[in-house]
Amino acid sequence: MFNRFMLIVVFVPLAVILIALAVANRELVAFTLDPFNPGNPKLTLTLPLFIFLFLALAVGMVVGSLATWVKQGRYRKLARQRGAEAENLRQAISRAPAAPQGSAQGSAQTPVLPKPTT
């Protein structure tokens, strides 16, 4: 249900806007990589304007995604460390001998757990 809602509310209007943008910007434009000799055919690319617009949008999304991924690296590292710590604690608890039934609240034999890493 949520997928259908996203399709109708977000992607259909976005597709309409992108199609309208492509139709309105069909003219060929020259994109040159040589600012000192703009007429150089080896470094000039002539394509419809909407292709350049879509490429700029795609490059912006990739660069933004990479920047977000790099910025969140410390949180991923912390999550890995805490996951390893939790696994070590699970293993330590599973290896610890069970407290005898007659002991008072298990205070006599408390399993020694590793210290948490920070």
Side-chain angles (χ1 to χ4, degrees):
M1 181 69 183
F2 181 71
N3 290 337
R4 181 168 288 195
F5 176 75
M6 287 297 291
L7 178 74
I8 293 170
V9 172
V10 176
F11 294 123
V12 170
L14 183 63
V16 169
I17 290 170
L18 290 177
I19 291 170
L21 183 68
V23 169
N25 294 295
R26 292 180 305 204
E27 301 85 26
L28 293 177
V29 293
F31 179 76
T32 184
L33 296 172
D34 188 2
F36 302 110
N37 185 11
N40 187 355
K42 292 180 183 175
L43 296 175
T44 302
L45 187 62
T46 304
L47 291 173
L49 179 61
F50 72 91
I51 291 178
F52 290 120
L53 293 174
F54 291 164
L55 284 175
L57 178 68
V59 168
M61 290 174 59
V62 168
V63 169
S65 297
L66 285 175
T68 301
W69 183 75
V70 168
K71 187 158 178 76
Q72 293 175 348
R74 61 180 157 179
Y75 301 114
R76 288 191 306 276
K77 181 180 178 183
L78 183 62
R80 281 192 304 272
Q81 288 174 347
R82 289 188 178 169
E85 180 182 333
E87 186 59 33
N88 288 340
L89 292 173
R90 281 189 202 102
Q91 290 176 2
I93 289 173
S94 67
R95 283 181 284 178
Q101 294 290 343
S103 68
Q105 304 279 330
S107 61
Q109 292 183 348
T110 305
V112 178
L113 300 176
K115 294 202 180 256
T117 60
T118 56

